[in-house]
Amino acid sequence: MTAPPIEIRDLHKYFGELEVLRGISTTIRHGEVVCLLGPSGSGKSTLLRCVNRLEEPTSGSILIEGEDITSEDADVDGLRTRIGMVFQQFNLFPHLTVLRNLRIAQRKVLRRDTDEATKIAEEMLARVGLSDKIDEHPSRLSGGQQQRVAIARALCMNPDMMLFDEPTSALDPELIGEVLDVMRELAEAGMTMLVVTHEMGFALQVADRVIFMDEGVIVEEGPPREVLRNPQHQRTKKFLRAIEIE
Amino acid sequence: MYGLLVLVAIALIFFADWEQIGESFFNVEIMRDMFPEVVTIAARNTIVYTALAFALGMIWALALALMKLSSVRPYRWFAMGYIELFRGLPALITIILVGFGLPLAFGWRIPGGTLGKGAIGLGIVAAAYMAETIRAGIQAVPRGQMEAARSLGMSPGTAMTYIILPQAFRIIIPPLTNELVLLIKDTSLLFVLGSTPQSKELTKFARDVMAAKVNATPLTVVAVMYLIITLPLTYLVRRLERKAEAEKR
Ligand SMILES: Nc1ncnc2c1ncn2[C@@H]1O[C@H](COP(=O)(O)OP(=O)(O)OP(=O)(O)O)[C@@H](O)[C@H]1O
Ligand SMILES: [Mg+2]
Protein backbone atom coordinates (compact mmCIF):
# COMPACT_ATOMS: atom_id res chain seq x y z
CA MET A 1 0.00 0.00 0.00
CA THR A 2 0.92 3.62 -0.46
CA ALA A 3 0.68 6.36 2.17
CA PRO A 4 -1.60 5.75 5.16
CA PRO A 5 -5.06 7.34 5.00
CA ILE A 6 -4.49 9.57 8.02
CA GLU A 7 -1.22 10.56 9.59
CA ILE A 8 -1.26 13.14 12.38
CA ARG A 9 2.01 14.67 13.54
CA ASP A 10 2.34 16.71 16.71
CA LEU A 11 -1.01 18.41 16.28
CA HIS A 12 -1.75 21.42 18.46
CA LYS A 13 -4.98 23.38 18.51
CA TYR A 14 -5.77 26.50 20.49
CA PHE A 15 -9.12 28.19 20.93
CA GLY A 16 -7.85 31.59 21.99
CA GLU A 17 -5.80 30.94 25.11
CA LEU A 18 -7.17 27.45 25.59
CA GLU A 19 -4.94 24.67 24.28
CA VAL A 20 -7.39 21.94 23.38
CA LEU A 21 -5.04 19.59 21.51
CA ARG A 22 -1.56 19.36 22.99
CA GLY A 23 0.59 17.41 20.61
CA ILE A 24 -1.36 14.55 19.08
CA SER A 25 0.51 12.07 16.89
CA THR A 26 -0.93 8.91 15.44
CA THR A 27 -1.27 7.06 12.16
CA ILE A 28 -4.38 5.33 10.93
CA ARG A 29 -3.74 2.50 8.52
CA HIS A 30 -5.73 1.50 5.50
CA GLY A 31 -8.89 -0.36 6.53
CA GLU A 32 -8.28 0.25 10.20
CA VAL A 33 -11.16 1.04 12.58
CA VAL A 34 -10.08 3.28 15.42
CA CYS A 35 -12.32 4.26 18.31
CA LEU A 36 -11.57 7.49 20.12
CA LEU A 37 -12.59 7.61 23.76
CA GLY A 38 -12.24 10.22 26.43
CA PRO A 39 -14.12 12.41 28.87
CA SER A 40 -16.14 15.40 27.75
CA GLY A 41 -13.97 18.32 26.72
CA SER A 42 -10.88 16.17 26.13
CA GLY A 43 -10.70 17.34 22.50
CA LYS A 44 -12.09 14.34 20.59
CA SER A 45 -14.41 16.36 18.38
CA THR A 46 -11.75 18.96 17.80
CA LEU A 47 -9.28 16.29 16.68
CA LEU A 48 -11.83 14.80 14.29
CA ARG A 49 -12.76 18.19 12.91
CA CYS A 50 -9.12 19.08 12.32
CA VAL A 51 -8.78 15.99 10.13
CA ASN A 52 -11.16 17.45 7.55
CA ARG A 53 -10.27 21.03 8.37
CA LEU A 54 -13.60 22.05 9.86
CA GLU A 55 -11.18 23.43 12.45
CA GLU A 56 -7.84 24.98 11.55
CA PRO A 57 -4.98 23.27 13.36
CA THR A 58 -2.72 25.75 15.12
CA SER A 59 0.46 23.78 14.48
CA GLY A 60 1.63 20.33 13.48
CA SER A 61 0.55 18.55 10.35
CA ILE A 62 -2.08 16.17 9.10
CA LEU A 63 -1.35 14.02 6.07
CA ILE A 64 -4.28 12.54 4.22
CA GLU A 65 -3.07 9.79 1.92
CA GLY A 66 0.36 11.39 2.11
CA GLU A 67 -0.81 14.89 1.24
CA ASP A 68 -0.31 17.63 3.82
CA ILE A 69 -3.69 19.28 4.26
CA THR A 70 -2.53 21.87 6.75
CA SER A 71 -0.62 23.79 4.10
CA GLU A 72 -2.04 27.06 2.83
CA ASP A 73 -2.73 25.91 -0.72
CA ALA A 74 -4.29 22.55 0.14
CA ASP A 75 -7.43 21.75 -1.86
CA VAL A 76 -9.76 21.56 1.12
CA ASP A 77 -12.96 20.89 -0.83
CA GLY A 78 -11.35 18.08 -2.82
CA LEU A 79 -9.94 16.66 0.38
CA ARG A 80 -13.34 16.60 2.02
CA THR A 81 -14.89 14.52 -0.74
CA ARG A 82 -12.43 11.78 0.21
CA ILE A 83 -13.37 11.97 3.90
CA GLY A 84 -16.92 11.16 4.90
CA MET A 85 -18.15 12.76 8.10
CA VAL A 86 -21.09 11.75 10.28
CA PHE A 87 -22.28 14.09 13.02
CA GLN A 88 -23.97 13.54 16.34
CA GLN A 89 -26.93 15.67 15.22
CA PHE A 90 -27.20 13.96 11.78
CA ASN A 91 -27.35 17.34 10.00
CA LEU A 92 -29.49 16.13 7.14
CA PHE A 93 -30.74 18.94 4.92
CA PRO A 94 -34.33 19.38 6.10
CA HIS A 95 -35.58 21.15 2.97
CA LEU A 96 -34.60 18.25 0.71
CA THR A 97 -36.01 14.75 0.36
CA VAL A 98 -33.81 11.79 1.23
CA LEU A 99 -32.97 11.27 -2.44
CA ARG A 100 -31.97 14.90 -2.88
CA ASN A 101 -29.95 14.84 0.32
CA LEU A 102 -27.97 11.99 -1.19
CA ARG A 103 -27.71 13.54 -4.63
CA ILE A 104 -26.91 17.20 -4.04
CA ALA A 105 -23.19 16.93 -3.36
CA GLN A 106 -22.76 14.29 -6.05
CA ARG A 107 -24.30 16.72 -8.52
CA LYS A 108 -22.70 19.97 -7.37
CA VAL A 109 -19.30 18.73 -6.22
CA LEU A 110 -18.54 15.59 -8.21
CA ARG A 111 -20.55 16.83 -11.22
CA ARG A 112 -22.23 13.50 -11.73
CA ASP A 113 -25.31 13.60 -13.94
CA THR A 114 -28.72 13.09 -12.35
CA ASP A 115 -29.15 9.50 -13.51
CA GLU A 116 -25.81 8.39 -12.17
CA ALA A 117 -26.26 10.28 -8.92
CA THR A 118 -29.71 8.74 -8.47
CA LYS A 119 -28.37 5.26 -9.12
CA ILE A 120 -25.61 5.67 -6.55
CA ALA A 121 -28.03 7.21 -4.05
CA GLU A 122 -30.36 4.22 -4.42
CA GLU A 123 -27.47 1.85 -4.00
CA MET A 124 -26.25 3.50 -0.80
CA LEU A 125 -29.75 3.77 0.61
CA ALA A 126 -30.21 0.06 0.05
CA ARG A 127 -26.95 -0.48 1.86
CA VAL A 128 -28.29 1.19 4.99
CA GLY A 129 -31.64 -0.57 4.56
CA LEU A 130 -33.80 2.47 3.82
CA SER A 131 -34.77 2.10 0.17
CA ASP A 132 -38.43 2.65 1.01
CA LYS A 133 -37.72 6.11 2.48
CA ILE A 134 -36.21 7.60 -0.65
CA ASP A 135 -38.93 10.23 -1.16
CA GLU A 136 -39.46 11.14 2.50
CA HIS A 137 -38.36 14.36 4.12
CA PRO A 138 -35.86 13.89 6.95
CA SER A 139 -38.29 15.20 9.57
CA ARG A 140 -40.50 12.16 8.92
CA LEU A 141 -37.76 9.72 9.85
CA SER A 142 -36.74 8.43 13.26
CA GLY A 143 -33.37 9.48 14.63
CA GLY A 144 -31.86 6.12 13.79
CA GLN A 145 -33.14 6.32 10.24
CA GLN A 146 -31.86 9.88 9.89
CA GLN A 147 -28.41 8.84 11.01
CA ARG A 148 -28.41 5.93 8.54
CA VAL A 149 -29.38 8.34 5.77
CA ALA A 150 -26.53 10.61 6.87
CA ILE A 151 -24.13 7.68 6.56
CA ALA A 152 -25.51 6.85 3.11
CA ARG A 153 -25.11 10.50 2.11
CA ALA A 154 -21.44 10.42 3.06
CA LEU A 155 -20.95 7.11 1.25
CA CYS A 156 -22.35 8.55 -1.98
CA MET A 157 -19.14 10.54 -2.37
CA ASN A 158 -17.12 7.29 -2.41
CA PRO A 159 -14.92 8.42 0.48
CA ASP A 160 -11.70 6.59 1.28
CA MET A 161 -12.28 7.03 4.99
CA MET A 162 -15.05 8.00 7.40
CA LEU A 163 -15.13 10.12 10.54
CA PHE A 164 -17.92 9.58 13.08
CA ASP A 165 -18.46 12.06 15.92
CA GLU A 166 -20.62 10.32 18.53
CA PRO A 167 -23.04 9.03 15.89
CA THR A 168 -25.36 7.39 18.40
CA SER A 169 -25.26 9.87 21.28
CA ALA A 170 -28.38 11.75 20.18
CA LEU A 171 -30.41 8.55 19.74
CA ASP A 172 -32.93 6.83 21.96
CA PRO A 173 -31.37 3.61 23.29
CA GLU A 174 -33.56 1.35 21.17
CA LEU A 175 -32.37 3.06 17.96
CA ILE A 176 -28.64 2.80 18.63
CA GLY A 177 -28.34 -0.78 17.44
CA GLU A 178 -29.48 -0.16 13.87
CA VAL A 179 -26.86 2.56 13.40
CA LEU A 180 -24.07 0.49 14.94
CA ASP A 181 -25.05 -2.41 12.66
CA VAL A 182 -24.59 -0.23 9.60
CA MET A 183 -21.22 0.94 10.92
CA ARG A 184 -20.15 -2.63 11.63
CA GLU A 185 -20.98 -3.67 8.07
CA LEU A 186 -19.02 -0.70 6.80
CA ALA A 187 -16.03 -1.77 8.88
CA GLU A 188 -16.31 -5.33 7.60
CA ALA A 189 -16.35 -4.02 4.04
CA GLY A 190 -12.92 -2.54 4.72
CA MET A 191 -13.66 1.14 5.32
CA THR A 192 -11.06 3.13 7.21
CA MET A 193 -12.93 4.59 10.18
CA LEU A 194 -12.17 7.00 13.00
CA VAL A 195 -15.03 6.86 15.48
CA VAL A 196 -15.65 8.97 18.58
CA THR A 197 -18.02 6.89 20.68
CA HIS A 198 -19.01 5.87 24.16
CA GLU A 199 -20.30 2.50 22.92
CA MET A 200 -17.88 0.10 24.57
CA GLY A 201 -19.51 -2.93 22.98
CA PHE A 202 -18.90 -1.53 19.53
CA ALA A 203 -15.31 -0.64 20.39
CA LEU A 204 -14.64 -4.13 21.72
CA GLN A 205 -16.17 -5.98 18.80
CA VAL A 206 -15.36 -3.77 15.83
CA ALA A 207 -12.37 -1.58 16.57
CA ASP A 208 -8.84 -2.61 15.66
CA ARG A 209 -7.48 -0.03 18.02
CA VAL A 210 -8.74 2.21 20.78
CA ILE A 211 -7.27 5.60 21.59
CA PHE A 212 -7.97 7.11 24.99
CA MET A 213 -7.63 10.88 25.13
CA ASP A 214 -7.70 13.25 28.04
CA GLU A 215 -6.99 16.96 28.23
CA GLY A 216 -5.76 17.14 24.67
CA VAL A 217 -3.23 14.30 24.75
CA ILE A 218 -3.34 10.61 23.91
CA VAL A 219 -3.06 8.90 27.26
CA GLU A 220 -3.14 5.34 26.06
CA GLU A 221 -3.79 3.37 22.91
CA GLY A 222 -3.83 -0.21 21.80
CA PRO A 223 -6.08 -3.16 20.92
CA PRO A 224 -9.54 -2.69 22.45
CA ARG A 225 -9.27 -5.73 24.72
CA GLU A 226 -6.08 -4.45 26.30
CA VAL A 227 -7.11 -0.84 26.72
CA LEU A 228 -10.66 -1.52 27.83
CA ARG A 229 -10.12 -4.66 29.89
CA ASN A 230 -6.73 -3.94 31.29
CA PRO A 231 -6.00 -0.20 31.18
CA GLN A 232 -2.52 0.86 32.27
CA HIS A 233 -3.20 4.45 33.22
CA GLN A 234 -5.08 5.80 36.16
CA ARG A 235 -7.04 8.26 34.05
CA THR A 236 -8.20 5.52 31.69
CA LYS A 237 -9.32 3.37 34.60
CA LYS A 238 -11.25 6.22 36.13
CA PHE A 239 -12.95 7.04 32.84
CA LEU A 240 -13.93 3.42 32.18
CA ARG A 241 -15.34 3.06 35.66
CA ALA A 242 -17.43 6.19 35.16
CA ILE A 243 -18.76 4.88 31.86
CA GLU A 244 -19.69 1.55 33.39
CA ILE A 245 -21.64 3.12 36.21
CA GLU A 246 -23.53 5.17 33.65
CA MET B 1 -66.30 52.60 28.52
CA TYR B 2 -68.97 51.61 26.08
CA GLY B 3 -71.12 54.48 27.30
CA LEU B 4 -68.62 56.97 25.97
CA LEU B 5 -68.48 55.16 22.66
CA VAL B 6 -72.26 55.32 22.32
CA LEU B 7 -72.26 59.02 23.15
CA VAL B 8 -69.66 59.76 20.51
CA ALA B 9 -71.58 57.72 17.96
CA ILE B 10 -74.81 59.54 18.73
CA ALA B 11 -73.08 62.91 18.53
CA LEU B 12 -71.64 61.97 15.14
CA ILE B 13 -74.96 60.85 13.78
CA PHE B 14 -76.77 64.02 14.87
CA PHE B 15 -74.20 66.70 14.36
CA ALA B 16 -72.04 65.60 11.45
CA ASP B 17 -72.89 67.08 8.12
CA TRP B 18 -73.62 63.87 6.27
CA GLU B 19 -74.46 65.51 3.04
CA GLN B 20 -71.16 67.33 3.06
CA ILE B 21 -69.26 64.16 3.88
CA GLY B 22 -71.05 62.19 1.19
CA GLU B 23 -70.39 64.85 -1.40
CA SER B 24 -66.71 65.21 -0.46
CA PHE B 25 -65.72 61.58 -0.15
CA PHE B 26 -68.29 59.52 -2.03
CA ASN B 27 -69.14 61.51 -5.12
CA VAL B 28 -70.30 58.79 -7.51
CA GLU B 29 -69.73 60.83 -10.61
CA ILE B 30 -66.08 61.48 -9.78
CA MET B 31 -65.64 57.85 -8.92
CA ARG B 32 -67.02 56.83 -12.27
CA ASP B 33 -64.74 59.28 -14.04
CA MET B 34 -61.67 57.72 -12.44
CA PHE B 35 -62.29 54.38 -14.05
CA PRO B 36 -60.76 52.60 -15.82
CA GLU B 37 -57.53 54.65 -15.53
CA VAL B 38 -57.23 54.24 -11.78
CA VAL B 39 -56.86 50.51 -12.40
CA THR B 40 -55.23 50.28 -15.81
CA ILE B 41 -52.68 53.03 -15.17
CA ALA B 42 -52.43 53.97 -11.50
CA ALA B 43 -52.84 50.62 -9.75
CA ARG B 44 -50.85 48.93 -12.46
CA ASN B 45 -47.99 51.40 -12.01
CA THR B 46 -48.04 51.00 -8.25
CA ILE B 47 -47.67 47.26 -8.70
CA VAL B 48 -44.96 47.58 -11.35
CA TYR B 49 -42.91 50.04 -9.25
CA THR B 50 -43.26 47.81 -6.24
CA ALA B 51 -42.30 44.65 -8.10
CA LEU B 52 -39.23 46.16 -9.70
CA ALA B 53 -38.10 47.87 -6.49
CA PHE B 54 -38.62 44.65 -4.58
CA ALA B 55 -36.64 42.60 -7.09
CA LEU B 56 -33.77 45.10 -7.14
CA GLY B 57 -33.91 45.51 -3.39
CA MET B 58 -33.87 41.77 -2.83
CA ILE B 59 -30.80 41.13 -4.95
CA TRP B 60 -28.97 44.04 -3.37
CA ALA B 61 -30.14 43.02 0.11
CA LEU B 62 -28.79 39.50 -0.41
CA ALA B 63 -25.42 40.94 -1.38
CA LEU B 64 -25.46 43.22 1.67
CA ALA B 65 -26.45 40.38 4.00
CA LEU B 66 -23.59 38.23 2.71
CA MET B 67 -21.21 41.15 3.09
CA LYS B 68 -22.37 41.72 6.65
CA LEU B 69 -21.66 38.06 7.43
CA SER B 70 -18.36 38.06 5.55
CA SER B 71 -15.08 37.48 7.31
CA VAL B 72 -13.62 40.35 5.29
CA ARG B 73 -13.83 43.40 7.52
CA PRO B 74 -14.22 46.15 4.89
CA TYR B 75 -17.22 44.28 3.47
CA ARG B 76 -18.76 44.11 6.91
CA TRP B 77 -18.11 47.79 7.53
CA PHE B 78 -19.58 48.77 4.20
CA ALA B 79 -22.74 46.73 4.75
CA MET B 80 -23.15 48.03 8.27
CA GLY B 81 -22.70 51.64 7.18
CA TYR B 82 -25.07 51.23 4.27
CA ILE B 83 -27.79 49.63 6.36
CA GLU B 84 -27.59 52.22 9.12
CA LEU B 85 -27.52 55.08 6.63
CA PHE B 86 -30.53 54.14 4.55
CA ARG B 87 -32.60 52.97 7.49
CA GLY B 88 -31.85 56.22 9.23
CA LEU B 89 -32.82 58.53 6.36
CA PRO B 90 -36.40 59.23 5.34
CA ALA B 91 -37.14 57.24 2.19
CA LEU B 92 -38.23 60.49 0.55
CA ILE B 93 -34.71 61.90 0.88
CA THR B 94 -33.23 58.86 -0.84
CA ILE B 95 -35.75 59.08 -3.65
CA ILE B 96 -35.03 62.76 -4.18
CA LEU B 97 -31.33 62.00 -4.08
CA VAL B 98 -31.66 59.38 -6.81
CA GLY B 99 -34.12 61.40 -8.87
CA PHE B 100 -32.53 64.84 -8.66
CA GLY B 101 -29.37 64.75 -6.58
CA LEU B 102 -27.41 62.33 -8.74
CA PRO B 103 -28.30 64.01 -12.06
CA LEU B 104 -27.28 67.36 -10.56
CA ALA B 105 -24.06 66.07 -9.11
CA PHE B 106 -22.86 63.84 -11.91
CA GLY B 107 -24.81 65.03 -14.89
CA TRP B 108 -26.22 61.64 -15.75
CA ARG B 109 -29.78 60.47 -15.46
CA ILE B 110 -31.01 57.09 -14.46
CA PRO B 111 -32.73 55.61 -17.50
CA GLY B 112 -36.32 54.46 -17.49
CA GLY B 113 -37.98 57.67 -16.30
CA THR B 114 -40.05 57.49 -13.14
CA LEU B 115 -39.94 53.70 -13.23
CA GLY B 116 -36.16 53.59 -13.32
CA LYS B 117 -35.55 56.31 -10.75
CA GLY B 118 -38.41 55.22 -8.54
CA ALA B 119 -37.50 51.54 -8.51
CA ILE B 120 -33.84 52.28 -7.84
CA GLY B 121 -34.61 54.83 -5.12
CA LEU B 122 -37.06 52.54 -3.36
CA GLY B 123 -34.84 49.51 -3.98
CA ILE B 124 -31.92 51.23 -2.26
CA VAL B 125 -34.05 51.83 0.82
CA ALA B 126 -35.78 48.44 0.80
CA ALA B 127 -32.41 46.68 0.49
CA ALA B 128 -31.27 48.20 3.78
CA TYR B 129 -34.27 46.73 5.61
CA MET B 130 -34.32 43.40 3.81
CA ALA B 131 -30.58 42.88 4.29
CA GLU B 132 -31.10 42.68 8.04
CA THR B 133 -33.99 40.26 7.57
CA ILE B 134 -31.98 38.02 5.26
CA ARG B 135 -28.98 38.11 7.57
CA ALA B 136 -31.16 37.03 10.47
CA GLY B 137 -32.59 34.23 8.32
CA ILE B 138 -29.15 32.96 7.37
CA GLN B 139 -28.07 33.01 11.00
CA ALA B 140 -31.20 31.14 12.03
CA VAL B 141 -30.10 28.11 10.00
CA PRO B 142 -28.25 25.77 12.38
CA ARG B 143 -24.45 25.81 12.09
CA GLY B 144 -24.39 22.08 11.50
CA GLN B 145 -25.99 22.60 8.09
CA MET B 146 -23.01 24.55 6.79
CA GLU B 147 -20.62 22.05 8.36
CA ALA B 148 -22.41 19.09 6.81
CA ALA B 149 -22.41 20.77 3.41
CA ARG B 150 -18.72 21.68 3.64
CA SER B 151 -17.81 18.19 4.84
CA LEU B 152 -19.34 16.84 1.62
CA GLY B 153 -16.88 18.98 -0.31
CA MET B 154 -19.17 21.86 -1.18
CA SER B 155 -17.51 25.25 -1.59
CA PRO B 156 -18.83 28.06 0.64
CA GLY B 157 -20.78 29.47 -2.32
CA THR B 158 -22.36 26.15 -3.27
CA ALA B 159 -23.30 25.43 0.33
CA MET B 160 -24.80 28.89 0.69
CA THR B 161 -26.78 28.60 -2.55
CA TYR B 162 -28.19 25.11 -2.21
CA ILE B 163 -28.26 24.44 1.51
CA ILE B 164 -28.32 27.62 3.60
CA LEU B 165 -30.28 30.16 1.55
CA PRO B 166 -33.24 27.90 0.71
CA GLN B 167 -33.70 27.25 4.42
CA ALA B 168 -33.10 30.89 5.34
CA PHE B 169 -35.70 32.14 2.86
CA ARG B 170 -38.24 29.69 4.15
CA ILE B 171 -37.75 31.19 7.59
CA ILE B 172 -38.06 34.80 6.45
CA ILE B 173 -40.97 34.66 4.02
CA PRO B 174 -43.33 36.30 6.56
CA PRO B 175 -41.08 39.29 7.38
CA LEU B 176 -40.18 39.70 3.70
CA THR B 177 -43.84 39.83 2.79
CA ASN B 178 -44.29 42.47 5.45
CA GLU B 179 -41.55 44.48 3.83
CA LEU B 180 -43.28 44.08 0.49
CA VAL B 181 -46.41 45.63 1.99
CA LEU B 182 -44.38 48.56 3.32
CA LEU B 183 -42.85 48.97 -0.10
CA ILE B 184 -46.25 49.11 -1.78
CA LYS B 185 -47.18 51.98 0.49
CA ASP B 186 -43.85 53.71 -0.07
CA THR B 187 -44.46 53.90 -3.82
CA SER B 188 -46.75 56.82 -2.87
CA LEU B 189 -43.56 58.82 -2.25
CA LEU B 190 -42.68 58.63 -5.93
CA PHE B 191 -44.92 61.64 -6.63
CA VAL B 192 -41.86 63.81 -5.95
CA LEU B 193 -40.30 62.55 -9.15
CA GLY B 194 -43.04 64.19 -11.17
CA SER B 195 -44.88 62.16 -13.74
CA THR B 196 -46.45 61.89 -17.14
CA PRO B 197 -50.10 60.84 -17.42
CA GLN B 198 -48.89 57.32 -18.12
CA SER B 199 -46.48 57.01 -15.19
CA LYS B 200 -48.71 58.06 -12.28
CA GLU B 201 -49.11 55.66 -9.43
CA LEU B 202 -52.17 55.58 -7.18
CA THR B 203 -51.36 58.47 -4.86
CA LYS B 204 -50.21 60.88 -7.55
CA PHE B 205 -53.22 59.93 -9.64
CA ALA B 206 -55.55 60.68 -6.74
CA ARG B 207 -53.90 64.01 -5.94
CA ASP B 208 -54.21 65.17 -9.52
CA VAL B 209 -57.89 64.27 -9.71
CA MET B 210 -58.43 65.91 -6.32
CA ALA B 211 -56.83 69.12 -7.54
CA ALA B 212 -58.85 69.13 -10.74
CA LYS B 213 -62.21 68.42 -9.11
CA VAL B 214 -61.57 70.09 -5.74
CA ASN B 215 -63.03 67.03 -4.08
CA ALA B 216 -61.71 64.30 -1.80
CA THR B 217 -63.47 61.35 -3.43
CA PRO B 218 -60.31 60.17 -5.24
CA LEU B 219 -58.73 59.50 -1.85
CA THR B 220 -61.51 57.07 -1.02
CA VAL B 221 -61.06 55.28 -4.31
CA VAL B 222 -57.31 54.85 -4.04
CA ALA B 223 -57.54 53.92 -0.37
CA VAL B 224 -59.74 51.03 -1.40
CA MET B 225 -57.29 50.19 -4.18
CA TYR B 226 -54.36 50.07 -1.74
CA LEU B 227 -56.33 47.83 0.57
CA ILE B 228 -57.27 45.50 -2.27
CA ILE B 229 -53.56 45.07 -2.94
CA THR B 230 -52.23 44.95 0.63
CA LEU B 231 -54.91 43.08 2.57
CA PRO B 232 -54.45 39.75 0.79
CA LEU B 233 -50.72 40.05 1.46
CA THR B 234 -51.10 40.81 5.16
CA TYR B 235 -53.55 37.92 5.34
CA LEU B 236 -50.98 35.69 3.64
CA VAL B 237 -48.31 36.76 6.14
CA ARG B 238 -50.54 35.85 9.04
CA ARG B 239 -51.23 32.43 7.56
CA LEU B 240 -47.57 31.78 6.88
CA GLU B 241 -46.64 32.82 10.39
CA ARG B 242 -49.26 30.56 11.86
CA LYS B 243 -48.05 27.70 9.68
CA ALA B 244 -44.43 28.26 10.72
CA GLU B 245 -45.56 28.35 14.33
CA ALA B 246 -47.40 25.06 13.90
CA GLU B 247 -44.41 23.43 12.25
CA LYS B 248 -42.17 24.37 15.14
CA ARG B 249 -44.28 22.31 17.49
N1 LIG C 1 -15.27 26.70 18.61
C1 LIG C 1 -14.77 26.66 19.87
N2 LIG C 1 -14.41 27.79 20.49
C2 LIG C 1 -13.89 27.77 21.74
N3 LIG C 1 -13.72 26.66 22.45
C3 LIG C 1 -14.06 25.49 21.90
C4 LIG C 1 -14.62 25.43 20.58
N4 LIG C 1 -14.90 24.14 20.29
C5 LIG C 1 -14.52 23.43 21.37
N5 LIG C 1 -14.02 24.22 22.33
C6 LIG C 1 -13.48 23.79 23.63
O1 LIG C 1 -12.49 22.85 23.38
C7 LIG C 1 -12.52 21.81 24.35
C8 LIG C 1 -12.60 20.47 23.66
O2 LIG C 1 -13.84 20.37 22.98
P1 LIG C 1 -14.26 19.11 22.15
O3 LIG C 1 -15.62 19.38 21.59
O4 LIG C 1 -13.20 18.75 21.19
O5 LIG C 1 -14.35 17.99 23.27
P2 LIG C 1 -14.95 16.54 23.16
O6 LIG C 1 -13.89 15.62 23.64
O7 LIG C 1 -15.49 16.28 21.81
O8 LIG C 1 -16.10 16.58 24.22
P3 LIG C 1 -17.56 15.92 24.18
O9 LIG C 1 -17.42 14.52 24.64
O10 LIG C 1 -18.33 16.76 25.16
O11 LIG C 1 -18.08 16.04 22.80
C9 LIG C 1 -13.69 22.11 25.25
O12 LIG C 1 -13.19 22.72 26.40
C10 LIG C 1 -14.53 23.07 24.47
O13 LIG C 1 -15.20 23.95 25.31
MG1 LIG D 1 -17.45 16.04 20.99
Side-chain angles (χ1 to χ4, degrees), chain B residues 35-204:
Chain B
F35 284 89
E37 286 80 5
V38 68
V39 177
T40 58
I41 294 176
R44 183 179 153 275
N45 280 337
T46 293
I47 291 171
V48 170
Y49 296 151
T50 307
L52 192 60
F54 192 69
L56 289 176
M58 178 77 88
I59 294 166
W60 186 212
L62 182 58
L64 287 167
L66 294 175
M67 278 191 242
K68 188 145 184 206
L69 293 171
S70 163
S71 53
V72 184
R73 264 193 216 145
Y75 284 163
R76 281 209 304 273
W77 291 335
F78 174 80
M80 258 149 60
Y82 180 99
I83 290 167
E84 293 309 326
L85 177 65
F86 287 103
R87 289 206 306 187
L89 293 179
L92 196 52
I93 294 287
T94 306
I95 292 164
I96 294 171
L97 179 79
V98 169
F100 304 108
L102 291 184
L104 273 178
F106 302 107
W108 53 264
R109 296 174 164 281
I110 289 166
T114 314
L115 177 60
K117 287 183 240 168
I120 289 175
L122 283 175
I124 285 174
V125 179
Y129 288 93
M130 290 198 284
E132 279 297 65
T133 308
I134 295 174
R135 179 198 55 74
I138 291 172
Q139 286 186 319
V141 177
R143 254 174 57 120
Q145 291 291 309
M146 183 52 109
E147 294 186 344
R150 297 302 309 276
S151 76
L152 288 164
M154 289 188 207
S155 66
T158 306
M160 193 47 94
T161 310
Y162 296 101
I163 305 303
I164 306 301
L165 287 181
Q167 296 183 57
F169 272 97
R170 222 161 274 203
I171 297 168
I172 59 175
I173 284 173
L176 278 184
T177 316
N178 262 331
E179 269 145 33
L180 179 63
V181 172
L182 293 177
L183 196 55
I184 291 169
K185 294 188 284 183
D186 278 354
T187 54
S188 64
L189 300 172
L190 296 184
F191 75 89
V192 290
L193 296 175
S195 60
T196 63
Q198 289 304 310
S199 74
K200 291 176 188 173
E201 42 65 54
L202 281 169
T203 302
K204 174 73 175 153

